[in-house]
Amino acid sequence: MARFDLAVVGAGPAGLSAAVTAAENGLTVALVDAGTQPGGQFWRHPDEHHPRPDEGRGQHLWSRFTDLRTRLRALESGAATAGRVELVVGHQVWFVETLAEGFMLHLSATHGETRLPQVRAASLVLCPGGYDRQLPVPGWELPGVMAAGGVQALLKAHRSVAGRRAVVAGTGPFLLPVAAGLAQAGADVVAICEAGSLSGWARSPLGAAGVPSKALEAVEYAALLARHRIPYRMRTVITAIRGESEVGSVGLGRLDRNGRLRTDVSLPDLDVDLVAFGWGFTPSLELVTAVGASTRVDVDESLIADVDDWQRTDVPGAYVAGEATGVGGALLAVAEGELAALAASRDAGRPVSEARARSLQRQIARGRRFAATMHRAHPVPAGWQDWLEPDTTVCRCEETTLGEICAATKELGATDARTVKLLARPGMGWCQGRVCGFAAAKLAIPVGEALTASDLAPLAKRTFAAPVSLETLATTPTESDSATSHDNDA
């Protein structure tokens, strides 16, 4: 069994930053990721065993990644004079055991034989990242409908274009790089359908101005959209997806200022073979809840880890960085990862730069204000249920329809998400609520009410609400939704 001063789970922006910083401060570090190479989802890139001169094509902050990768390799090889990093790729954390002194990570290989079944560490930094938030639409189970993040992953890692004629829809800034990437790869992007309006940013100008680099990115994307003649249609949503065996066209609707579907406006259908949906992101909280750390609901109604201004949770020795503390982008995640590493080093008795820590805390505060402004400017529209039909599939794993969820609440008396899950089975299938969890939780409560932590938890993947030992795990009754936790690369 391998022993380390610190274990870092997730090798995306936050995890890479945390591992490199901690090792450079003299700690021995295990960096675990389910992917085959560091970078996570944000810096997903072609196989490093077959180098390509354009591996950074379509990437942002690529120089930041290559710098972290270079430092990581020096710390792996022992060329560095500080600590040491052991990179454990292709392995997922299926259970975290809280010990009297530290943590035990239980690993399994994503492919082939498990090289390192257990990692023991005095401290733990969780950087599990997040995944695309989705909303149901009539016909969204047809082939050709994808999460925007999945479309981008194919482009970044494999240079593969998921369709020839595409529409990118949902809400938030992430729609822009996905549309730009498709267009640059040769696809005909017929429209970006943004449910919100850019005027939402004006409600908090100080928050929007807190990260100037984001404004420069927006200008770059505006130029790309103009170059490729991609229409940016605000307050516009896809209300139906049509096709026999695959996507053939989409129906559109116009929203009013309150996010409700307008019945006085009729828009023509768009002929497409690819629909890329992005409604923001949902943090991966499986491992956070597995160690017993407290959570709270963020501005965008996501369940997130509750951390202090050093990225500490309320579990001694456990830190969280990146999207799991609130979706805010890679630049913020890098800063949080570095701060978490400094905190872990400091708590282990290592000297750290207090000035650097304070600088990071100020940067994180600005990033958090920007993220809150972004979430308020691009909320899920209040009227997203307006275009659903009783036979619309909500949970694609269990084929649970809107009508069945409504029957659970109106006819069977379910008053919360947990009861709806038991009666109608949304979130009980293969993905354990990753795709349908947000929508199913919203459908389980009265229209207009905000989600709470108790609403979100039952439709997330099953986790243990408090630290437990393997002996306790062995005696826990099994049930149909008791799949264990996997870590997502950040």
Side-chain angles (χ1 to χ4, degrees):
M1 175 179 54
R3 294 173 181 263
F4 299 87
D5 297 323
L6 179 69
V8 178
V9 180
L16 267 179
S17 180
V20 168
T21 301
E24 289 175 344
N25 274 278
L27 301 184
T28 56
V29 181
L31 176 57
V32 183
D33 194 276
T36 57
Q37 58 194 20
Q41 301 292 357
F42 184 78
W43 286 319
R44 183 182 286 269
H45 55 285
D47 188 352
E48 293 177 359
H49 292 100
H50 304 281
R52 300 179 58 139
D54 64 343
E55 70 167 353
R57 191 176 78 193
Q59 302 278 358
H60 280 273
L61 304 175
W62 187 245
S63 61
R64 184 70 62 94
F65 169 68
T66 55
D67 172 66
L68 287 169
R69 182 173 61 180
T70 299
R71 291 157 64 191
L72 175 68
R73 287 173 175 169
L75 291 160
E76 276 189 281
S77 65
T81 58
R84 176 177 59 84
V85 175
E86 181 165 347
L87 178 62
V88 186
V89 293
H91 283 64
Q92 58 196 0
V93 179
W94 64 267
F95 185 63
V96 180
E97 190 175 2
T98 303
L99 308 175
E101 296 183 0
F103 304 88
M104 181 85 75
L105 275 61
H106 298 266
L107 313 181
S108 62
T110 54
H111 307 286
E113 185 178 349
T114 299
R115 177 171 66 87
L116 191 64
Q118 294 177 330
V119 167
R120 183 166 182 171
S123 299
L124 176 65
V125 178
L126 296 174
C127 309
Y131 48 91
D132 292 77
R133 173 186 283 179
Q134 294 295 302
L135 294 177
V137 176
W140 73 316
E141 63 271 29
L142 282 170
V145 180
M146 296 183 65
V151 171
Q152 189 185 64
L154 287 175
L155 286 170
K156 285 184 173 182
H158 305 291
R159 304 294 189 254
S160 298
V161 185
R164 296 179 299 275
R165 187 173 168 83
V167 59
V168 181
T171 191
F174 185 58
L175 304 183
L176 302 179
V178 174
L182 283 169
Q184 290 175 312
D188 178 15
V189 182
V190 299
I192 296 176
C193 295
E194 165 61 63
S197 170
L198 294 180
S199 62
W201 289 90
R203 300 190 193 106
S204 181
L206 292 179
V211 186
S213 61
K214 297 293 185 181
L216 296 176
E217 279 186 37
V219 172
E220 292 175 6
Y221 285 128
L224 280 170
L225 298 188
R227 186 182 312 150
H228 292 283
R229 300 174 183 267
I230 302 174
Y232 186 77
R233 306 174 69 164
M234 292 185 287
R235 293 202 178 101
T236 303
V237 294
I238 293 176
T239 58
I241 302 168
R242 303 184 179 94
E244 294 298 327
S245 59
E246 60 185 358
V247 173
S249 65
V250 297
L252 303 181
R254 182 67 52 78
L255 301 181
D256 62 20
R257 293 179 179 273
N258 298 316
R260 312 297 307 204
L261 192 62
R262 292 179 57 177
T263 57
D264 61 330
V265 177
S266 179
L267 300 177
D269 290 0
L270 296 177
D271 294 331
V272 296
D273 62 5
L274 172 65
V275 180
F277 274 126
W279 295 100
F281 295 91
T282 296
S284 295
L285 273 245
E286 293 87 352
L287 296 179
V288 173
T289 57
V291 300
S294 295
T295 58
R296 62 182 178 85
V297 178
D298 203 10
V299 176
D300 64 343
E301 296 188 283
S302 290
L303 193 66
I304 62 171
D306 195 6
V307 296
D308 67 10
D309 56 2
W310 283 85
Q311 304 301 130
R312 299 186 188 96
T313 69
D314 55 356
V315 175
Y319 312 79
V320 182
E323 308 292 60
T325 65
V327 175
L331 201 61
L332 176 59
V334 169
E336 288 190 349
E338 183 179 349
L339 182 61
L342 291 179
S345 301
R346 186 174 185 251
D347 293 346
R350 303 274 179 171
V352 300
S353 170
E354 298 291 333
R356 177 58 181 166
R358 288 193 295 272
S359 175
L360 288 168
Q361 288 169 339
R362 290 191 295 271
Q363 180 183 342
I364 290 166
R366 290 193 299 271
R368 283 281 155 230
R369 286 194 294 270
F370 178 89
T373 300
M374 175 184 68
H375 294 318
R376 293 189 179 102
H378 296 278
V380 170
W384 67 269
Q385 302 175 30
D386 294 350
W387 51 84
L388 304 186
E389 303 290 343
D391 62 351
T392 299
T393 299
V394 175
C395 174
R396 298 193 294 189
C397 296
E398 293 292 316
E399 299 182 342
T400 303
T401 65
L402 173 66
E404 290 169 329
I405 291 177
C406 291
T409 58
K410 295 177 181 178
E411 298 175 18
L412 301 179
T415 58
D416 57 75
R418 183 180 297 276
T419 307
V420 168
K421 180 179 180 180
L422 292 173
L423 295 175
R425 297 190 60 82
M428 298 275 271
W430 183 255
C431 84
Q432 290 288 284
R434 280 187 172 89
V435 176
C436 74
F438 177 81
K442 292 291 283 185
L443 290 167
I445 63 176
V447 174
E449 284 192 11
L451 290 174
T452 65
S454 60
D455 292 322
L456 291 165
L459 284 154
K461 192 174 181 183
R462 181 177 184 264
T463 56
F464 296 96
V468 294
S469 65
L470 284 180
E471 289 75 16
T472 304
L473 177 63
T475 59
T476 302
T478 59
E479 57 192 54
S480 59
D481 65 334
S482 62
T484 51
S485 295
H486 298 274
D487 95 83
N488 289 313
D489 46 346

